[in-house]
Amino acid sequence: MAYDFSTDPDFADQLDWARRFVVDEIEPLDLLLPGRHYAPPTPAIAKIVGPLKEQVRVHGLWAYHLPPELGGSGGSAVRLAQLNEIVGRSWWGPVIFGIQAPDTGNAEILAKYGTASQRERFLEPLLNGEIFSCFSMTEPHGGADPGVFTTTATRDGDDWVIRGTKFFSSNARWASFFIVMAVTDPDQPVHRGMSMFLIDADTPGIEIEKNFGLFSEPVGTGSHALVHYRDVRVPAANLLGDEGGAFAVAQVRLGGGRLHHAMRTVGLCQRAFDMTCERALSRHTKGSLLADKQIVQTHVAESWQALHQFRLQVMHAAWTVDHSDERAAREVIAGVKVAAPRALHEVVSRCIQVHGALGLSNQLPLGEWVQQVYALSLADGPVEVHQMNLAKSLLKAHKPAEGPWPSELIDTRLEKARQRYGEVLA
């Protein structure tokens, strides 16, 4: 089967505009407004961000993760990958283009599983960039393992009553609504005993005990919340998908999120590679440019290989999502989930090395990108789990040897070859 990652001329023009727009108009916001990209904009920030979002809409690139009939501008995973590579250079980029995490994944499950009223109430303002959302799944004691979740939802008349605690509910402090995964039937197997719920953020009983930041973020400034649900009453109409169908809903949301993270990571890798080349061509030491040093040339070549291997893997995953079934998509998405932090670590580590002491300083964005390596390793599930699941899936396509020896044993193959052609050769 042929893989086609080509770009038609019209979309190529849109991508060219996006490259200039991100570098000239959006990347300055990363410096002037660090850490504000997920917060509701103040009136002053809205004066900047609003017109930028409007330019994206005018160029037909807003909310490109969803097709036009669902309120977006795209729908093709390959095109989204090409766009995300550009937008992923900047923390503000995804917000300005309406393709930021965790809202993209939340929008996808609302588009697929939401009722008409749920889409009108939650999806439309989310796609319009008017509100932010939160996916509240993991728990303090069990992480991302639903098999040990203790948050429950109990039916009480026309409501569900939710009780429990969730951890690392990203963006909770800014969200207008939460998507919460809870046990609805503990007597069922875990993949049939959990359900998803849409909950307005101002519903009584929701308590954000603490917001955690990442690594060196100042205490109190993070947005990854420890949330208690204390007898939170949710209308039955806010059930997202079928009762007991949380796993199906989660797979859509988490699979898309993992792929989008990988797409954006290509952009960071490219930016770090460009920085490496610039520095190698700019600094003289020991009588010549760094670019003339054999070991630096090795750094450049190996970073280029890591970048392009990863880019092609992401494009292949996107193509598979567009053209293949769900099982094939799960395999390739697991692959890019594992590959993303590795590729970023390789390219950024070499970039730091080539920049020397300056690479360790807070005058370059490299330290932030190193932290992103570890965030990618855990976001939407730890890489180890995806390696294990990927291996199990791949092994199903193979079978054991028929005898005590490997099927590629020369003596065994030679005997079969003689049986097939020996008489003719004799």
Side-chain angles (χ1 to χ4, degrees), residues 58-91:
V58 168
H59 282 82
L61 294 174
W62 176 260
Y64 213 82
H65 57 295
L66 291 179
E69 62 268 22
L70 295 175
S73 300
S76 161
V78 168
R79 284 190 166 196
L80 179 62
Q82 294 168 329
L83 178 63
N84 254 322
E85 177 179 339
I86 297 168
V87 175
R89 292 172 50 95
S90 162
W91 300 126

Side-chain angles (χ1 to χ4, degrees), residues 307-321:
L307 165 63
H308 281 271
Q309 287 169 358
F310 178 52
R311 175 184 281 123
L312 286 173
Q313 188 176 357
V314 170
M315 294 301 296
H316 170 255
W319 185 93
T320 303
V321 168

Side-chain angles (χ1 to χ4, degrees), residues 366-384:
L366 298 172
E368 293 180 58
W369 299 348
V370 169
Q371 293 181 19
Q372 186 69 3
V373 169
Y374 298 97
L376 285 169
S377 296
L378 293 170
D380 296 327
V383 294
E384 294 86 354

Side-chain angles (χ1 to χ4, degrees), residues 98-146:
I99 50 176
Q100 73 277 3
D103 297 324
T104 48
N106 295 342
E108 286 177 330
I109 59 177
L110 278 164
K112 182 169 184 177
Y113 291 100
T115 64
S117 61
Q118 288 173 347
R119 290 197 295 268
E120 180 181 0
R121 181 177 176 186
F122 298 105
L123 179 59
E124 289 182 14
L126 188 65
L127 289 181
N128 289 335
E130 300 167 5
I131 61 174
F132 295 94
S133 62
C134 169
F135 188 68
S136 189
M137 187 188 85
T138 57
E139 298 190 0
H141 55 283
D145 179 9

Side-chain angles (χ1 to χ4, degrees), residues 326-347:
E326 185 179 341
R327 182 191 169 205
R330 280 201 305 268
E331 287 184 356
V332 295
I333 289 173
V336 296
K337 156 69 178 176
V338 173
R342 292 182 177 178
L344 187 61
H345 180 264
E346 281 193 49
V347 179

